[in-house]
Structures are given as structure tokens and as C-alpha cells.
Amino acid sequence: MYEIFAYQNAESLSGIFNAIAAIVSSGDYAGAIAVVGFFGFVCAFIAYAFAPERMHGWKWVASVVIVYSVIYVPRVTVQITDKTSGNPPSIVANVPLGIALFGSMTSQVGNVLTSLFETAFQVLPGNGALPAELSYQQNGLMFGSRLVKYTRNVGFVNPQFRTDLLAFIDNCTKYDLLDGTIDPAAFSSSPDIWALMAGPNPARLTPITTGPGATTVVTCPVAYPILNAIALTEVGTIQAKLGEQLNPTLAAAAASAAIGNQILVAYQKNRLAAAASSATQILLQNAMINAVNDASSIQGQRINDPASLLLAMGRAQAVAQINASWTNYGKVAEEALPLIRNVIEAICYALFPFVILILFITSGMQTVMAIKSYLLTLMWIQLWPPVYAVLNYMASIASASKLGASANVGGATAMSLQTASTIYSTAISLEAVVGYMCISVPAIAWAALKGMETIGQAAITGTSSIQATVGNASSQSALGNASMGNLALEQVQLAPTRTSAFMRNWQDDRTGDTYSTSAFGREAVSLLSN
């Protein structure tokens, strides 16, 4: 049995190999081989007739016999193992020996190199060690930063609970902060703001939903334990959904079980949570930070406070504008290039039946060079994972220090109201930098096969693209050109706008009246209203 390793694409590779097995076993493909073989025989016969001393005919016969009897006819079984999934391997039978041998050989090389690198990264002493949960083979590029970004966006989805929680913050917590029951400084820097909200003033009231369409008003101390019980259930739902999003190759139960430890490891490695924290506490803190921010904006709407609404809108626009381009570049690291790699790998395997047809019309060194080119292409694809592993390690270690610095609150680090926005922006920008570097991965892998000196050119090309982007943005800022929050609504143009070269328009500085004069001396005056 020949084993081929996959990275989040085991199902698609299984489909490709099943299709190859079906194609090469079909009568139509056998007819195509016969046609190509006949054409090759005619070409070889003519070449041998004109130059028998070069042995073109015999070389072609030898090449066809070797390709047919060694690469095409033998059928073997292939096992496809996904390194990023806990699912059982896929077994495909009746696969030609050539594609099974080539795929297994190149895949083994890439897998061994990647595994050796990541095993070494995990046993390094001190802060240089990378946890297995954040390795490339297990969860892909920049998994720690992706976890931080996803968890920063979590929120309570139950509309009744969300309404009750925002009302509790508005009716209870807000006044506790105003009268000093809760220290505002401690609240803004706390890694667990929900715990600080546990002792509200009993003289205040807030509504609680008791059933469909039914609410009751209770004191704030009575409301807190009710909300707390529902909040813990809601966090469990959020965690299960997040597990399926970030572990798409795992079954729902396995993904939900895995995400808890992944969140904990990512936050601890990036110094965003203490060793005694849990995934539930981390998700609850993020959801509460978002709820507090939402309550502030909703209060501005409720009291018709334009200043509060404008500040909230301006803050949202600023964060969105800063992060928009970074998010797009981060998508390259998160999704685009790994998907491109998997697509290219699948296409290379799918082209095997066509490669066989090509080999039947080549001979001698041409056959050897054709096989070599196909092998080099497969090897190029399999060299991407080791390069990704090194890039993931370097980026993850750098991310840990950057995110830790962003989370600093007076000598300690925590995910808090003070640091949440900075941490989110930092996580996105770090993904963007890795996205830029990902563009060089195919070139670096190709350079390793064809000539290491071309790695420098790949790096220069990537750096130039960064310089161009930064230079354009910086020059616009230096000139004072800025635009944010522009809105155009219900613009209607029923006819084209045309300006005649024979018309002269000018405005009187003293009165403000506008004068229009035609080439024939006719004049029209638009008077300003008094």
C-alpha cells in the first residue's frame, strides 16, 4: 500500500484518485492509448527509416514497453491520510503504480521534512517552543492569531438573553461604575469583567425575560445569577460553533472538544490569559467586552444623544478602515494560498492519464525528461508544507510577543476593555504580514529545486510590493488627503452632463451672482436670493 499525505484536502484527493482509477480502467481510455501508440509508432518508424543509426525506433519501443509495463499496467492501493484531521484515512484501489509511486514518494519527503521541523519546534527550551496545537500540520498557518481574531468577534446570539444582559449593564453596572461600587479603572483593565459585575446595588431594578413575550422586573442582585446561568449555557453554544468553524475537517463532537484546549493554548502562548484561565472564561470575557461596547452605543440611541452616536460610529469606522486592507492580506495567509496549493496538487495528480499519453509518443531521454518534469512538479508542491511550517513558527513566535505587548495593562497582560481593540488590530496586522510572506512560498520552494540563488529575487519581489503599498498610503497622508465615511444616497442622473467650449462662466466676487456668456454675446445672470 502506498501512502499519500494531505492537508485539509483528503476528500478531494480521494475523489481525484478514484477518478483516475476509473479513467484508466475504461475502454475509451484504452482506445486513446491505442491511437497515441499508433501515432508514436508511425513517427518512430519514419525517424528510423531516415536515420537507422540513431536507433529512434528501438528507443521508442523500449520506452513504451517500460512505461506500459511498469508505470501504467500494475494496479496498487493508495491510502490518503489527512495530517490536519482526525478522520480515518481514505483507501483507493486499482490506482496505476506510476501515480501511486510518484505521489507517495514526493509526499513522504514533504511530510517527513515538515514533521521533523515541527517536532523540533515543540521541544525548544523557553519561549521559543511552539505548542502542538499551533503547529502548521495540525491546524494551518497562524492558528493562534486566527483564534484570537475569531474569539474577539464572539457575541451572545440568544436575542432574549442579549436584551436582558444589555439592560442589566445599562440599569445596574453603569450606575455601579458612576457611584464607585465598581472601580472604573479596575473594570477597564480586568481580565474578568463579568465577575466584577456580580455585586450590584440592590436598590436598582432591571427587566428579566420569563417566557415568550413575558418579562418581569427584579432587583439587580436577583438578576445577576439568572443571567449568569444563561451566560454559561450561551458560552457553550459559542464554543461549539467556533470549534466547527476553526476545525472544519473534524466531526462536530470532536471539533467542540478540541477548541477548548486550542483557545487556552493560544491565549496562554500569546500572554493574553493566565495559566489558571479556562476556555469558558476567555470566551465569556470577549462576549462581555462586546456586550459592554454595544450597551454604550444602544444607550446613545435610546436617549437620542447625537454626540454618543457619532463617537461610536467614528470609532467603528476608524477601526474598520485601519483593518480593512490588513484583513484582505490576512486572508491570503488564512485561506487563499493553502487552497491554491491543494488545487495545484489535485490538478497535478489529475493530469496523470494525460502524462501517460504524452509518454507514449516520446522515447529515450525525452521520456526520462518528461517523467523528471512531472516528478519535479509534484516535489515542488510537497515542499510547500515544510516552508509553511518554518513560516508558521517564526510568525507565531513573533505574534506571541506582539500580542503580549498589546495586552499590557500596568505591568500585567490581559484581554480587557482597555486592550481588546488593540489586540484585535494587532492580530489582523500580523496575519497580513504573513499573507505577504505567503506569496513568496511557491517561489522559495521552486528555488530549492531549481537553484537557491533565486530565493533572493523572490524576497525582493515581495518586499517591493510592501514598499509600494506603504509608500502610496504614506504619501497620501503626508499631503493631507484623507477620506472616511463618505456616503452617497439616491443620486439620479437622467441625462448626460455636457460643458460647451463656447460658453464663459464667471462669478462676481462682490455680489456672488453668476454670469454666463455665449460666443455670440448673449448673457444670462443667476442672481443670489436675498
Side-chain angles (χ1 to χ4, degrees), residues 37 45 54 104 133 135 164 176 180 200-201 208 227 236 243 246-247 258 260 267 275 282 348 357 404 413 423 431:
F45 178 79
R54 296 187 179 181
S104 178
E133 288 82 0
S135 64
D164 292 345
D176 289 341
N201 192 321
I208 291 292
L227 295 175
L246 293 171
N247 298 282
Y267 269 69
I282 292 170
C348 288
L357 297 178
T413 57
I423 289 171
E431 277 196 82

Side-chain angles (χ1 to χ4, degrees), residues 340-362:
I340 291 173
R341 177 214 172 265
N342 291 342
V343 170
I344 295 176
E345 180 185 24
I347 291 174
C348 288
Y349 288 137
L351 287 176
F352 178 77
F354 179 76
V355 171
I356 290 293
L357 297 178
I358 294 295
L359 294 179
F360 276 119
I361 58 174
T362 61

Side-chain angles (χ1 to χ4, degrees), residues 502-504 506 515-525:
F502 299 98
M503 291 295 297
R504 176 175 176 267
W506 65 283
Y515 297 84
S516 300
T517 305
S518 71
F520 300 100
R522 299 181 62 186
E523 185 177 70
V525 183

Side-chain angles (χ1 to χ4, degrees), residues 169-191:
I169 295 172
D170 187 40
N171 297 325
C172 306
T173 306
K174 179 178 71 176
Y175 295 105
D176 289 341
L177 289 167
L178 290 174
D179 64 18
T181 302
I182 301 176
D183 181 9
F187 187 75
S188 66
S189 60
S190 172

Side-chain angles (χ1 to χ4, degrees), residues 10-364:
E11 292 182 356
S12 59
L13 286 187
S14 176
I16 291 292
F17 276 93
N18 274 294
I20 291 174
I23 289 172
V24 298
S25 300
S26 67
D28 292 339
Y29 187 73
I33 287 182
V35 171
V36 172
F38 177 77
F39 179 76
F41 170 78
V42 172
C43 293
F45 178 79
I46 294 173
Y48 181 75
F50 282 97
E53 70 279 1
R54 296 187 179 181
M55 303 291 289
H56 285 303
W58 295 110
K59 290 179 182 178
W60 178 82
V61 171
S63 299
V64 168
V65 169
I66 293 173
V67 170
Y68 187 80
S69 60
V70 176
I71 297 179
Y72 172 67
V73 170
R75 299 289 190 266
V76 295
T77 301
V78 172
Q79 174 179 301
I80 302 172
T81 304
D82 197 329
K83 298 293 293 184
T84 60
S85 170
N87 297 328
S90 301
I91 306 297
V92 182
N94 298 320
V95 177
L97 174 62
I99 187 61
L101 179 62
F102 296 159
S104 178
M105 182 174 60
T106 55
S107 177
Q108 293 281 353
V109 172
N111 174 68
V112 168
L113 287 175
T114 308
S115 298
L116 289 175
F117 272 118
E118 300 216 305
T119 301
F121 294 153
Q122 293 169 23
V123 297
L124 293 175
N127 294 327
L130 184 69
E133 288 82 0
L134 306 184
S135 64
Y136 168 73
Q137 278 194 315
Q138 188 160 330
N139 288 303
L141 272 173
M142 292 292 289
F143 188 64
S145 292
R146 282 193 285 135
L147 265 176
V148 172
K149 184 180 70 174
Y150 274 88
T151 52
R152 271 300 303 125
N153 288 326
V154 299
F156 298 111
V157 295
N158 186 322
Q160 293 180 344
F161 171 72
R162 180 179 171 80
T163 301
D164 292 345
L165 177 63
L166 295 180
F168 179 85
I169 295 172
D170 187 40
N171 297 325
C172 306
T173 306
K174 179 178 71 176
Y175 295 105
D176 289 341
L177 289 167
L178 290 174
D179 64 18
T181 302
I182 301 176
D183 181 9
F187 187 75
S188 66
S189 60
S190 172
D192 190 1
I193 60 175
W194 182 236
L196 292 182
M197 298 161 65
N201 192 321
R204 299 189 179 99
L205 304 173
T206 189
I208 291 292
T209 301
T210 57
T215 60
T216 186
V217 177
V218 299
T219 61
C220 293
V222 172
Y224 182 86
I226 298 174
L227 295 175
N228 183 60
I230 302 175
L232 295 178
T233 303
E234 285 291 301
V235 168
T237 303
I238 293 172
Q239 182 171 326
K241 183 178 180 181
L242 202 60
E244 294 182 13
Q245 286 180 324
L246 293 171
N247 298 282
T249 59
L250 296 180
S256 180
I259 191 64
N261 189 53
Q262 291 169 345
I263 292 174
L264 190 58
V265 169
Y267 269 69
Q268 289 178 352
K269 180 60 182 177
N270 292 311
R271 294 184 292 162
L272 302 179
S277 301
S278 66
T280 300
Q281 292 174 335
I282 292 170
L283 291 175
L284 181 60
Q285 172 74 349
N286 281 286
M288 285 298 170
I289 289 174
N290 292 330
V292 170
N293 291 331
D294 290 345
S296 176
S297 301
I298 291 174
Q299 176 63 12
Q301 293 177 330
R302 182 178 302 161
I303 65 176
N304 194 25
D305 181 3
S308 173
L309 294 177
L310 286 174
L311 286 173
M313 184 178 69
R315 182 172 61 249
Q317 286 181 341
V319 173
Q321 187 176 30
I322 292 172
N323 292 336
S325 60
W326 292 117
T327 301
N328 292 332
Y329 291 129
K331 283 296 181 182
V332 176
E334 183 179 345
E335 297 175 357
L337 270 176
L339 178 60
I340 291 173
R341 177 214 172 265
N342 291 342
V343 170
I344 295 176
E345 180 185 24
I347 291 174
C348 288
Y349 288 137
L351 287 176
F352 178 77
F354 179 76
V355 171
I356 290 293
L357 297 178
I358 294 295
L359 294 179
F360 276 119
I361 58 174
T362 61
S363 63

